[in-house]
Amino acid sequence: MSDSHYIGQRISYDDALCTVRYIGEVAGVTGSWLGVEWDDSTRGKHDGSHKGTRYFECKLASSAPTAASFVRPTRPADTPQSFVSALKAKYVEKETEASGVLASQIKFAGKVAEEVGFDKVRRQMAQLDELKIAILDGVQMAFARHNSEQTVAEVSPKLAHIDISRNLFESLAPVVDICKDLPGLKKLAINGNRFQKVLEDRSLDNAIAAFSQVTELGIGDNMLRWEEICRIAAAFPSLSSLAAGANYLSQLPIISYGSISTTLTILNLEYNSFTSMSDLASLASLTSLRNIYLKGNNIHALSSEDAPCPIFPESLQYIDVSYNQVDGWDFIDNLTKHFPGVTALRISHNPVYDQRASYNAPTATADEAHMFTIARIGQLQSLNFSSITANDRSNAEMFYLSRIAKQLAAVPEAAEPTVLDLHPRYAALCEIYGAPDVIRVQEVNPAFLQARLVTLALQCAGRDDRTARVPQSFDMYAVKALVAKLYGFSPLRMKLVWETGEWDPVAKKHSDDGGDTSDEEDDDDVAIKVSEQATKDTYGDELADAQPGRWVKREVELRDGPRQLGYWVDGLDAKVRVEPLR
């Protein structure tokens, strides 16, 4: 067994990174072995145990049963390199001695591709002293430079953004050594590394000077605890953006945040394991936090069973909880109680968008869910990357009120408070738009004739209104003949139109993935306006005229045919407009 191996050593085998967790013998096989945990948790064969005997623990033992393997100490490993050598290898390509052709060529199916314009790009990037961005992820980097090499400052002093993710660092000391030579560094990415004993790492004690100008830090997929992440972040006195996704975090403990409590404005915690917003309670002390990204967790509630959700600072304006498990509108209704400053929200791809919109209604469409969310959060200015205009808000709130009216109509009057408890903004919306009419249909014994008669309230311009009670089983030929007889028209020279009393919103198209929302003026040009002759409906004539927008009155023409009246109209009461044909 080679004496060069040790516990915690970072090794790369054929570009696959791993950490040594065990050195010794394995029962049933001869010789010495290295027990390693792969960074790619699907690459191994077990979780550190072999034939019932456990030899070591993996950091991901609970969720990755195939993160570990045993390898021979004699297996050839990739050679670790320095930041300086990796920089030169990537950006200063060498020519082969014999032909003068670049050593690296782009090939497709064994054929060399012709590269047009790449020479100029290569020449620019090869000027390392002018280089501003260096992407050196996955290059087996382990230290800043060899003793015989130039310093980082001598090679590329103008670097402002470096990505040294997924390398062979065992501690943060090499990262500090690299950054201290880059006085203009603004953005640092160290994702996917496996830093060890961070809380005891003495290199961070004097790292503030090295990181003094860095404002953005990427430290995701490092399998670090929140205390360790904050220990590293505290060494960045100017830090405003922290990305710590995919670190398997399930709860953030209460800790002292030091300087970042007043400097941090953007926090990315995507793809962790939070289940409620109360798991983030310790973030309430970050008084400058403006944006928080929580995409891809398992959040389903504001408060957990063990802890209530705190009230976060009003500085927090944007929340992304897309691709989570939010399954109830109470999450949205109570969001502003705990996030009083929120004006922008992303909540798409949650089960709540698939819930039934109201009693006896079909499954809500994405447009309906979009409008419900706008109506339920009065202060919202942007939803799922779409800005909310004044027309968008009024349309959404009126549509929401109409759905509440349907819910109220479906329950007895005594049960109204139970329904209204589900809609905290109902009273406020009624003050703006007026209370909607709630029309309850009395239950009739289906065996009685009354249950099979439809009362038609007939209206015809220039004629007296009339009422007719018609069996649901009458086909439209019979219905038109009856109405024609009442008004003295020919059945072939008139049209019947059922006025449903409802308004359908024509929602503006919106994109969840950042579509351009600058064409609001164009949208308004093609909007369908409320008819000036709109008959009085749930909200009344005055409201229909005062609230123009993307709405259309729902009307159904009762066409000639063998279909029965009960097929065309809902319920036992219908308002029908009689229009003579010229």
Side-chain angles (χ1 to χ4, degrees):
M1 179 177 63
S2 173
D3 295 333
S4 62
H5 295 295
Y6 53 90
I7 302 297
Q9 182 182 10
R10 295 282 288 159
I11 303 177
S12 173
Y13 294 111
D14 300 323
D15 295 330
L17 306 180
C18 63
T19 304
V20 176
R21 302 292 187 198
Y22 171 80
I23 302 174
E25 297 181 350
V26 176
V29 291
T30 59
S32 296
W33 294 85
L34 299 179
V36 300
E37 179 182 1
W38 300 101
D39 289 11
D40 178 1
S41 60
T42 64
R43 182 181 176 86
K45 296 182 178 180
H46 52 78
D47 61 353
S49 61
H50 178 66
K51 293 184 177 180
T53 302
R54 176 160 298 283
Y55 293 90
F56 60 94
E57 293 282 351
C58 292
K59 276 197 170 184
L60 287 178
S62 60
S63 59
T66 59
S69 295
F70 289 110
V71 299
R72 288 292 188 183
T74 55
R75 177 176 174 175
D78 300 328
T79 303
Q81 61 178 332
S82 67
F83 178 88
V84 173
S85 60
L87 189 68
K88 291 180 178 179
K90 180 167 184 176
Y91 293 102
V92 184
E93 296 190 83
K94 297 180 180 179
E95 297 179 349
T96 59
E97 297 180 0
S99 62
V101 178
L102 290 174
S104 61
Q105 295 177 324
I106 300 175
K107 296 183 179 181
F108 295 97
K111 297 181 179 180
V112 178
E114 181 181 0
E115 302 178 33
V116 179
F118 278 68
D119 291 340
K120 181 179 179 180
V121 175
R122 287 196 183 94
R123 285 195 299 270
Q124 290 177 341
M125 296 176 65
Q127 298 175 7
L128 298 183
D129 57 336
E130 296 294 327
L131 199 62
K132 300 293 181 63
I133 301 174
I135 309 299
L136 299 172
D137 60 322
V139 295
Q140 295 86 47
M141 188 189 306
F143 41 88
R145 68 184 185 93
H146 291 288
N147 293 332
S148 59
E149 290 181 321
Q150 295 173 287
T151 64
V152 176
E154 292 172 336
V155 176
S156 293
K158 297 184 179 181
L159 282 173
H161 172 194
I162 60 173
D163 185 343
I164 49 177
S165 304
R166 289 170 286 280
N167 279 295
L168 297 176
F169 302 122
E170 297 171 9
S171 71
L172 284 146
V175 179
V176 176
D177 291 341
I178 294 168
C179 295
K180 71 181 181 182
D181 281 350
L182 301 172
L185 187 63
K186 298 292 184 182
K187 187 173 181 179
L188 173 64
I190 50 177
N191 305 297
N193 285 291
R194 296 293 183 264
F195 300 114
Q196 302 169 30
K197 300 180 179 179
V198 171
L199 299 180
E200 304 167 13
D201 196 332
R202 297 298 94 191
S203 64
L204 290 173
D205 294 343
N206 302 311
I208 292 181
F211 302 136
S212 61
Q213 301 301 314
V214 177
T215 59
E216 298 183 39
L217 174 63
I219 192 169
D221 190 26
N222 287 48
M223 293 199 298
L224 294 174
R225 293 177 289 124
W226 184 240
E227 300 94 318
E228 295 172 320
I229 293 172
C230 292
R231 166 82 166 106
I232 297 172
F236 294 75
S238 303
L239 190 65
S240 62
S241 176
L242 175 63
N247 273 298
Y248 301 93
L249 301 172
S250 59
Q251 190 172 27
L252 305 184
I254 302 295
I255 62 172
S256 174
Y257 288 104
S259 62
I260 65 172
S261 64
T262 56
T263 63
L264 194 65
T265 59
I266 300 174
L267 178 59
N268 187 317
L269 294 172
E270 296 178 348
Y271 301 106
N272 279 291
S273 302
F274 304 114
T275 58
S276 69
M277 301 301 281
S278 61
D279 294 336
L280 312 169
S282 72
L283 299 181
S285 61
L286 300 180
T287 56
S288 296
L289 190 61
R290 187 176 69 247
N291 294 9
I292 186 167
Y293 299 84
L294 300 169
K295 174 183 176 181
N297 281 273
N298 291 305
I299 295 172
H300 67 275
L302 290 168
S303 301
S304 66
E305 296 180 358
D306 301 327
C309 184
I311 297 176
F312 288 82
E314 291 192 13
S315 62
L316 186 53
Q317 300 174 358
Y318 177 83
I319 303 173
D320 183 347
V321 287
S322 58
Y323 294 92
N324 275 277
Q325 299 299 320
V326 177
D327 57 2
W329 289 108
D330 59 321
F331 182 97
I332 295 172
D333 289 333
N334 296 305
L335 190 66
T336 54
K337 293 181 181 178
H338 303 281
F339 297 89
V342 65
T343 58
L345 174 68
R346 187 184 179 205
I347 196 170
S348 55
H349 303 286
N350 274 281
V352 68
Y353 270 30
D354 298 325
Q355 297 296 312
R356 291 185 177 273
S358 63
Y359 301 124
N360 303 320
T363 302
T365 65
D367 283 339
E368 287 180 345
H370 185 83
M371 289 190 287
F372 290 158
T373 306
I374 293 173
R376 288 172 180 266
I377 304 179
Q379 65 198 56
L380 211 57
Q381 298 175 13
S382 175
L383 176 61
N384 297 333
F385 301 131
S386 294
S387 58
I388 301 170
T389 66
N391 273 343
D392 292 335
R393 176 156 295 284
S394 61
N395 291 343
E397 290 174 345
M398 287 191 290
F399 180 65
Y400 179 46
L401 268 180
S402 70
R403 286 308 182 93
I404 297 176
K406 282 190 173 183
Q407 290 191 11
L408 293 173
V411 300
E413 189 171 354
E416 277 193 7
T418 304
V419 174
L420 296 181
D421 285 344
L422 303 175
H423 306 284
R425 291 202 70 216
Y426 179 76
L429 294 178
C430 286
E431 290 183 6
I432 300 173
Y433 304 104
D437 291 334
V438 179
I439 303 174
R440 292 185 173 85
V441 179
Q442 298 295 327
E443 293 293 335
V444 179
N445 190 326
F448 294 170
L449 176 62
Q450 182 182 1
R452 298 190 293 275
L453 293 177
V454 178
T455 301
L456 301 181
L458 302 172
Q459 296 178 337
C460 182
R463 301 291 188 98
D464 293 338
D465 293 347
R466 295 179 178 274
T467 302
R469 303 190 73 186
V470 183
Q472 290 177 326
S473 59
F474 270 28
D475 61 31
M476 289 313 304
Y477 293 123
V479 173
K480 290 193 72 175
L482 177 61
V483 174
K485 184 176 181 180
L486 290 174
Y487 281 100
F489 295 147
S490 167
L492 300 178
R493 304 295 298 172
M494 71 176 193
K495 180 171 68 173
L496 302 181
V497 180
W498 173 39
E499 297 179 356
T500 66
E502 296 180 355
W503 296 87
D504 284 336
V506 182
K508 181 181 70 176
K509 292 184 178 179
H510 54 275
S511 171
D512 179 47
D513 299 314
D516 186 1
T517 60
S518 63
D519 297 330
E520 293 172 4
E521 186 174 340
D522 296 337
D523 290 340
D524 291 338
D525 290 341
V526 299
I528 297 176
K529 301 295 184 180
V530 175
S531 171
E532 293 181 359
Q533 285 77 34
T535 56
K536 188 172 181 179
D537 75 332
T538 303
Y539 302 105
D541 293 328
E542 182 178 348
L543 179 61
D545 293 336
Q547 298 290 340
R550 287 181 289 273
W551 285 73
V552 60
K553 185 171 62 173
R554 186 189 299 169
E555 294 182 343
V556 179
E557 180 182 353
L558 305 180
R559 299 174 182 172
D560 296 350
R563 286 180 173 173
Q564 297 177 351
L565 176 63
Y567 171 85
W568 287 101
V569 301
D570 295 334
L572 300 180
D573 294 279
K575 183 186 294 183
V576 177
R577 188 171 69 249
V578 183
E579 297 182 357
L581 300 178
R582 297 179 181 177

